Amino acid sequence: MPPPADIVKVAIEWPGAFPKLMEIDQKKPLSAIIKEVCEGWSLGNHENFALQIADATNFYITEKNRNDIKNGSILRLTTSPYQTAVQLHERIQSSSMDAKLESLKDLANASRDITFAQEFINLDGISLLTQMVESGTERYQKLQKIMKPCFGDLLSFTLTAFVELMDHGIVSWDTFSVAFIKKIASYVNKSAMDTAVLQRSLAILESMVLNSQDLYHKVAQEITIGQLIPHLQGTDQDIQTYTIAVINALFLKAPEEKRQEMAHILAQKQLRSIILSNVIRSPTPINDEMAHQLYVLQVLTFNLLEDRMMTKMDPQDQAQRDIIFELRRIAFDVESEPNNSGSIEKRKSMYTRDYKKLGFINHVNPAVDFTQIPPGMLALDNMLYFARHHQDAYIRIVLENSSREDKHECPFGRSSIELTKMLCEILKVGELPSENCHDFHPMFFTHDRSFEEFFCICIQLLNKTWKEMRATSEDFNKVMQVVREQIMRALTLKPNSLDQFKSRLQNLSYTEILKIRQSERMNQEDFQSRPILELREKIQPEIMELIKQQRLNRLCDGTCFRKISSRRRQDKFWYCRLSPNHKVLHYGDLEESPQGEVPHDSLQDKLPVADIKAVITGKDCPHMKEKGALKQNKYCVWTDGLNALLGKEMTSEYTKSDMDTLLSMEMKLRLLDLENIQIPEAPPPIPKEPSNYDFVYDCN
């Protein structure tokens, strides 16, 4: 007969004694079980003891997670979280350097457990650690020359314990003094510092900046970009990642009026070229966290364009009008005519003619074209950059189109405005970076004016595609759609340089795009006749049920997620999977990414599906509001699966894509016998009833 469901058989260890096999009754209070275990080894004061999971995590067993104990689990009897916290609180203040070092090492390991962390923090442990960093390290630094490894380890374990304790989100970051910030900043500013200490210090500074606007100002006073740059020139990718993370945090939290100033400093310090040489083109492969930080830096850099993108041109502003005059001068090699050179009407007529050749919509006053936002003044900036830095290509495009027939000319002005708007949409200018995205483009780190160069390549592509399509003004939107597709397809190949991007575009001519479209259309043909649409409607519920089952199966298989802490570090993992009966979500922390599925028994925490009220994502999620409503990548499989469990509609883009693909395949299979047969739009009419039925054959 199998044991009752509330009884679990475990092994319990105690240092210096043989492990005991024991049956635990989950209905009993945890304190009663601990008392029973202590009595078995003749240990008194059972309230000073606790049970731990005997693995690398050493997490304490509590009333909250005790149900995760499974048959065959190995537990360890140890001192209670409170007693351990008290002991470590005393030991880290020891006058013996060796004892202090060992205690801080133990504290750094124990602080990963939230039960212990809460007890240590209740003893004012965070304040003790900050005091040790602020004042105690001076005493240790005197020993640094003769005990350099010991000093580095001592400080490293102190900062590690601090980081682990703060990651639990129990203590506010706003509570720290300027002295503590200065001390942490000093470790970053030193040219030679222990790697572990430097890494922890950078992580602490990033968290301070991201979690407190007040601390941002204090950190910004202590850390300069020039002091961070040397850390990027080494070979340790972790240090480089943390350094870029600090730069991103300072960039993200800087007031709008200071961001342009900061960008100017970054350009002066040649941050882009240093990252390109030492990170992107380094022989070390770029890991996910570094890719994320490069993506964030890319987004924040492009977001500097938002101000110009949302600025309308003032038609009365002479300085802005002079830019348009400069475009005319470069294109037609004319100087500003003196006031007495002909009548006003003649000059106006001449300007109107030239502005029409330049492709502006408003030939009389082209400034009006730049009052549309987006792209606002950013379009004019791009046009001027193209005219000055790629003058031959600019003149060729303008003169080439001005000599064509009116109906086939590609309007440079209108095209530039719409193209700038399109590029801003593609690069999501003005949007905050996503928490989990790694989509950075190496080519944007190869030039100080990468957006402008991107525009220059694309405006030449637009002109080339216009000619290939033999387009007229009525085809403008069609041309823009093709150009967008060409750009998107080239970007998905992640070119390493702007020249490589340009080369990829050369291979994506209009003819090639048509071939690609035709191939895709053959694979996903979408019939629009009424009978076909009715068949699609009939099949759709079956396909949706198939997708639902696939999502639920994926949830049952489980997924490993990267943990996102207040520092957005992604070096920890947690795993979640749905029970086979679809009633419980099992989840728990992992030390490393698993090679295969993680058994239900090894996941510590449970969440009954019945307790889930709703699935909230993006800006609607309250947890996101605390972090400035940064956009989350949608884990479509899980959001779909959870919505399916709750009986709600699966609305992700992933579901729409799967529906289109599966529906198209199913339709083709069902219509195989009708190949090359014209399907009528309406059913054939029912013939009139015959005048007699004499033609009926009598089987008898």
Side-chain angles (χ1 to χ4, degrees), residues 301-310 378 429 451-452:
T301 303
F302 284 141
N303 280 357
L304 294 171
L305 303 169
E306 184 181 14
D307 183 54
R308 293 294 284 175
M309 181 181 79
M310 300 306 291
L378 184 60
V429 174
F451 183 79
E452 289 86 344

Side-chain angles (χ1 to χ4, degrees), residues 517-613:
R517 285 180 174 180
Q518 185 177 5
S519 174
E520 291 176 350
R521 196 177 297 118
M522 287 175 66
N523 293 329
Q524 298 181 357
E525 191 160 1
D526 189 16
F527 300 104
Q528 296 300 319
S529 64
R530 203 178 89 187
I532 299 299
L533 293 175
E534 289 176 357
L535 180 59
R536 284 173 64 93
E537 262 183 65
K538 185 178 178 181
I539 296 173
Q540 226 162 343
E542 300 173 24
I543 302 295
M544 186 58 76
E545 183 61 28
L546 183 65
I547 294 171
K548 176 183 173 182
Q549 290 305 318
Q550 187 270 345
R551 299 293 192 264
L552 294 176
N553 289 339
R554 285 286 301 275
L555 266 60
C556 290
D557 292 340
T559 304
C560 180
F561 297 96
R562 291 182 178 274
K563 292 191 78 172
I564 307 297
S565 69
S566 58
R567 295 175 288 123
R568 293 203 318 279
R569 293 272 66 80
Q570 298 188 350
D571 50 3
K572 296 180 182 178
F573 302 88
W574 67 285
Y575 197 91
C576 185
R577 64 183 302 183
L578 180 65
S579 63
N581 63 5
H582 298 177
K583 291 185 176 180
V584 180
L585 288 172
H586 298 263
Y587 63 97
D589 293 336
L590 300 176
E591 285 298 300
E592 56 186 20
S593 181
Q595 297 303 313
E597 289 184 9
V598 177
H600 293 92
D601 294 350
S602 62
L603 300 173
Q604 302 166 3
D605 300 300
K606 291 181 182 178
L607 175 63
V609 173
D611 290 350
I612 302 175
K613 304 301 180 188

Side-chain angles (χ1 to χ4, degrees), residues 198-247:
L198 177 58
Q199 191 181 86
R200 277 26 166 221
S201 299
L202 288 166
I204 291 169
L205 291 177
E206 183 200 5
S207 291
M208 286 180 170
V209 173
L210 289 175
N211 289 283
S212 169
Q213 193 64 32
D214 183 48
L215 288 185
Y216 154 74
H217 293 290
K218 293 174 182 177
V219 171
Q221 291 174 356
E222 301 298 327
I223 294 288
T224 65
I225 300 300
Q227 291 163 329
L228 292 171
I229 292 293
H231 300 314
L232 293 171
Q233 295 172 316
T235 56
D236 189 318
Q237 190 170 115
D238 286 337
I239 295 297
Q240 292 173 326
T241 302
Y242 280 84
T243 302
I244 296 176
V246 172
I247 293 171

Side-chain angles (χ1 to χ4, degrees), residues 178-417:
V178 174
F180 179 71
I181 297 169
K182 286 179 178 289
K183 184 61 66 176
I184 297 298
S186 71
Y187 301 143
V188 173
N189 292 338
K190 284 182 181 175
S191 56
M193 176 53 68
D194 178 84
T195 301
V197 173
L198 177 58
Q199 191 181 86
R200 277 26 166 221
S201 299
L202 288 166
I204 291 169
L205 291 177
E206 183 200 5
S207 291
M208 286 180 170
V209 173
L210 289 175
N211 289 283
S212 169
Q213 193 64 32
D214 183 48
L215 288 185
Y216 154 74
H217 293 290
K218 293 174 182 177
V219 171
Q221 291 174 356
E222 301 298 327
I223 294 288
T224 65
I225 300 300
Q227 291 163 329
L228 292 171
I229 292 293
H231 300 314
L232 293 171
Q233 295 172 316
T235 56
D236 189 318
Q237 190 170 115
D238 286 337
I239 295 297
Q240 292 173 326
T241 302
Y242 280 84
T243 302
I244 296 176
V246 172
I247 293 171
N248 286 339
L250 290 168
F251 218 140
L252 189 63
K253 290 294 182 177
E256 287 188 18
E257 63 274 9
K258 285 193 174 181
R259 287 181 189 170
Q260 291 289 351
E261 179 185 336
M262 187 175 175
H264 181 66
I265 295 171
L266 293 177
Q268 280 186 328
K269 299 295 181 181
Q270 297 183 318
L271 175 71
R272 178 199 56 76
S273 59
I274 290 171
I275 289 175
L276 182 67
S277 302
N278 296 280
V279 178
I280 296 175
R281 293 180 177 170
S282 165
T284 306
I286 292 176
N287 59 35
D288 284 348
E289 177 60 14
M290 173 59 86
H292 171 70
Q293 295 300 340
L294 291 172
Y295 152 77
V296 173
L297 182 59
Q298 173 185 292
V299 171
L300 295 176
T301 303
F302 284 141
N303 280 357
L304 294 171
L305 303 169
E306 184 181 14
D307 183 54
R308 293 294 284 175
M309 181 181 79
M310 300 306 291
T311 299
K312 292 182 180 182
M313 183 172 186
D314 180 2
Q316 307 305 318
D317 189 316
Q318 188 58 44
Q320 295 179 0
R321 290 168 63 87
D322 285 345
I323 299 176
I324 297 176
F325 293 151
E326 177 73 356
L327 291 173
R328 174 177 173 266
R329 184 193 67 77
I330 295 172
F332 304 114
D333 195 24
V334 294
E335 298 297 333
S336 297
E337 293 84 357
N339 290 333
N340 58 359
S341 62
S343 66
I344 295 176
E345 288 75 15
K346 184 179 178 181
R347 278 188 286 127
K348 278 185 178 180
S349 174
M350 188 165 49
Y351 282 138
T352 300
R353 180 199 65 202
D354 289 348
Y355 291 148
K356 184 180 179 182
K357 289 180 180 179
L358 280 169
F360 290 112
I361 297 172
N362 191 316
H363 307 150
V364 178
N365 185 7
V368 176
D369 288 14
F370 300 97
T371 56
Q372 172 196 348
I373 56 170
M377 288 295 292
L378 184 60
L380 188 58
D381 295 341
N382 282 340
M383 293 167 71
L384 183 63
Y385 181 91
F386 181 50
R388 285 178 171 172
H389 294 85
H390 299 269
Q391 195 170 111
D392 290 344
Y394 167 70
I395 293 171
R396 188 186 72 250
I397 286 176
V398 173
L399 296 184
E400 190 179 87
N401 284 291
S402 64
S403 62
R404 287 186 197 168
E405 298 177 38
D406 280 352
K407 65 176 184 176
H408 286 293
E409 64 181 9
C410 177
F412 173 73
R414 182 186 176 191
S415 299
S416 298
I417 292 168

Side-chain angles (χ1 to χ4, degrees), residues 22 62 68 171 402 459 502-503 529 590 621 629 645 650 669 687:
M22 185 174 176
T62 65
D68 298 322
V171 178
S402 64
I459 192 66
K502 190 173 182 179
S503 175
S529 64
L590 300 176
C621 180
L645 285 171
M650 298 184 293
L669 288 171

